[in-house]
Amino acid sequence: MMHIIYEPERQRMAIQKSGRLHKASMDFLSARGLIFPANDRTLILPCENFDIDLLYLRDDDIPEYVRSGVADLGIVGENVLAEKGADLPIIAKMDFGRCKLVIAAPKDSRIRTPEDLGGKRIATSYPKLLSEYLAKEGVEASIVPISGSTEITPELDMSDAICDLVQTGSTLKAHDLVPLFTVMESQAVLIESPAKKQAKESFLSQIGIGAIV
Ligand code: PRP
Ligand code: ZN
């Protein structure tokens, strides 16, 4: 039975439960001296030597946890922040998680320019960023909202193109998709809840994060 999370002076930091940013976030915290117990599949991990608990979440949910103050801090991609919580303050840019949000299509697709997307179906977990991009390009297309595994939708004829993240490019490659247009460049950032808390400031200065970047 864990009682730790109810102690108000303990901070909570939301990080991605699995996916591109999980290991890099854990490595970042370890490098700053934080020690965690071996993960026994819990989704709340108490730090052993700082007053902070990690919440393992879907990355899309991190902005809402931080905005509501349930989490004091969060590590999330700028892409998710722009899609879900652009108003939250960024306190540091992390040196990891660099990726691009791209529009990609099957190798044999005839889509060559953004105008060619007109009337096409584009599957994405980033409907807000995609619709802003299409509006900027003056193109009308149909957005197919999906919450994951977007890369399989063209081969299932659910879409003509996708708008998704590319880091190494191996997921696109595995599905014979080629990146065509960049919607946004992104990296991992540290965000904080709007509530100013003494404990949060003191935690950040203990791990060497002070100035706003
Ligand atoms: C992203 C994206 C791809 C993968 C691309 O997932 O959805 O599946 O990373 O990486 P690659 O180019 O190195 O193959 P992310 O970790 O953001 O998790 P999520 O989409 O499941 O939230
Ligand atoms: Zn996600």
Side-chain angles (χ1 to χ4, degrees):
M1 199 43 186
M2 275 199 311
H3 297 285
I4 279 166
I5 61 162
Y6 300 113
E7 292 174 22
E9 71 275 18
R10 276 185 83 84
Q11 298 296 288
R12 297 188 197 123
M13 180 185 283
I15 71 162
Q16 192 186 28
K17 176 181 172 245
S18 60
R20 291 174 315 106
L21 298 184
H22 176 78
K23 187 171 179 302
S25 302
M26 293 304 290
D27 290 348
F28 169 82
L29 295 171
S30 302
R32 298 272 165 165
L34 279 74
I35 299 168
F36 296 98
N39 186 5
D40 53 359
R41 306 182 70 154
T42 173
L43 299 177
I44 303 177
L45 205 61
C47 179
E48 292 177 359
N49 56 340
F50 286 88
D51 287 335
I52 189 158
D53 300 319
L54 294 187
L55 308 182
Y56 282 0
L57 304 175
R58 283 278 308 260
D59 60 352
D60 325 61
D61 292 331
I62 291 175
E64 189 48 40
Y65 274 76
V66 173
R67 182 186 289 112
S68 66
V70 171
D72 303 285
L73 296 159
I75 297 177
V76 73
E78 287 174 300
N79 51 296
V80 170
L81 196 61
E83 179 71 26
K84 304 264 184 185
D87 51 325
L88 288 168
I90 291 174
I91 45 175
K93 294 201 177 201
M94 310 273 98
D95 207 14
F96 57 82
R98 283 200 178 74
C99 62
K100 286 180 182 176
L101 181 64
V102 302
I103 295 179
K107 256 195 329 222
D108 55 6
S109 159
R110 285 197 232 129
I111 300 170
R112 295 278 176 276
T113 66
E115 294 71 55
D116 296 338
L117 294 168
K120 298 283 194 269
R121 302 162 299 166
I122 311 173
T124 191
S125 324
Y126 298 90
K128 175 175 179 274
L129 296 175
L130 175 58
S131 66
E132 286 167 5
Y133 173 83
L134 293 171
K136 192 187 76 185
E137 296 293 334
V139 172
E140 281 196 37
S142 137
I143 297 178
V144 182
I146 228 133
S147 50
S149 303
T150 312
E151 294 90 347
I152 67 167
T153 60
E155 66 199 76
L156 300 174
D157 196 27
M158 262 181 85
S159 71
D160 305 300
I162 65 165
C163 173
D164 201 4
L165 289 186
V166 194
Q167 186 159 312
T168 61
S170 57
T171 315
L172 284 189
K173 210 174 217 166
H175 293 273
D176 283 332
L177 299 167
V178 283
L180 297 171
F181 321 116
T182 298
V183 173
M184 157 174 203
E185 303 210 355
S186 176
Q187 65 179 299
V189 291
L190 180 65
I191 54 174
E192 67 170 341
S193 66
K196 287 278 164 210
K197 278 195 198 166
Q198 194 56 48
K200 181 170 69 185
E201 304 310 320
S202 121
F203 167 72
L204 289 173
S205 69
Q206 283 176 68
I207 67 163
I209 295 175
I212 292 176
V213 178

